[in-house]
Amino acid sequence: MGANVTLQSRMDQLGLTQDELASQCNKALLEITGRPGDMSARTVRNLLNGASRRPIGRTCAALERVFGCSVSDLGFSAPSSMQHPPEDPVRRRDFIASTTGTAAAAVPLVKQRRTVGMSDVSRVAAGMNALVEADDRLGGHRSLAHAALQGRAQVLALQERNANDLVHGRR
């Protein structure tokens, strides 16, 4: 493993020692994460002598903050979590217009049919039982016939919906 001359020359340009770079990286980590970093002069030494060719993500983030360039410009391989293909610039108006159209297209035009549950079956059965009792007590008349037709329409509407086997057995 060879020494990282790129990092050494960047440190020399800024006049940083190993301890000073570790301190600046720890300050950068505090700014980034809200918690102080734990980099030491030993960590920097490992980066300089080539023992660490692929630093962990938080070390990469701190180095990028301190030097103002990517870790690949400092002679390192970025961890896979930091390797992202370059993105095209996004214009706010284009983005908003395209997402609004996508959201409008995603809204279904037809109301989703919900499944039939046991409460639906119980409610319809109670209504039909009330009709039968009213017919027994009062005899057939026009309003009772109208209520029976409405109950029939409810049952037919329920039969068009999805239901599990238990509900199918109760319908």
Side-chain angles (χ1 to χ4, degrees):
M1 293 183 213
N4 188 333
V5 293
T6 308
L7 178 62
Q8 183 64 59
S9 68
R10 294 297 297 264
M11 286 175 60
D12 292 341
Q13 287 174 358
L14 295 177
L16 295 173
T17 65
Q18 293 177 6
D19 286 321
E20 291 170 341
L21 177 58
S23 176
Q24 285 195 12
C25 285
N26 288 333
K27 288 177 187 173
L29 286 171
L30 179 63
E31 292 171 4
I32 295 169
T33 65
R35 294 180 297 185
D38 58 354
M39 284 184 69
S40 64
R42 182 180 183 149
T43 306
V44 176
R45 193 169 30 261
N46 288 335
L47 294 171
L48 286 169
N49 67 20
S52 295
R53 288 307 224 173
R54 183 179 243 175
I56 59 176
R58 67 176 175 258
T59 302
C60 290
L63 289 170
E64 288 177 348
R65 174 76 59 105
V66 170
F67 289 106
C69 62
S70 69
V71 289
S72 58
D73 293 342
L74 296 172
F76 297 109
S77 298
S80 59
S81 62
M82 294 185 71
Q83 294 176 356
H84 303 289
E87 295 181 3
D88 293 332
V90 177
R91 292 187 177 87
R92 185 172 180 258
R93 287 186 180 164
D94 294 341
F95 177 75
I96 290 172
S98 67
T99 56
T100 304
T102 304
V107 174
L109 298 176
V110 181
K111 184 179 175 184
Q112 291 276 346
R113 292 192 303 184
R114 61 182 190 92
T115 59
V116 177
M118 290 302 293
S119 62
D120 296 321
V121 173
S122 298
R123 186 175 52 254
V124 170
M128 295 305 284
N129 289 340
L131 283 174
V132 170
E133 288 175 12
D135 185 47
D136 287 344
R137 276 184 285 123
L138 304 172
H141 53 80
R142 187 173 301 243
S143 62
L144 189 60
H146 183 66
L149 288 175
Q150 285 180 336
R152 178 181 176 268
Q154 287 178 340
V155 169
L156 291 175
L158 287 177
Q159 287 179 344
E160 291 178 5
R161 294 184 189 170
N162 295 330
N164 63 26
D165 293 336
L166 180 66
V167 173
H168 272 295
R170 297 286 173 111
R171 284 204 257 187

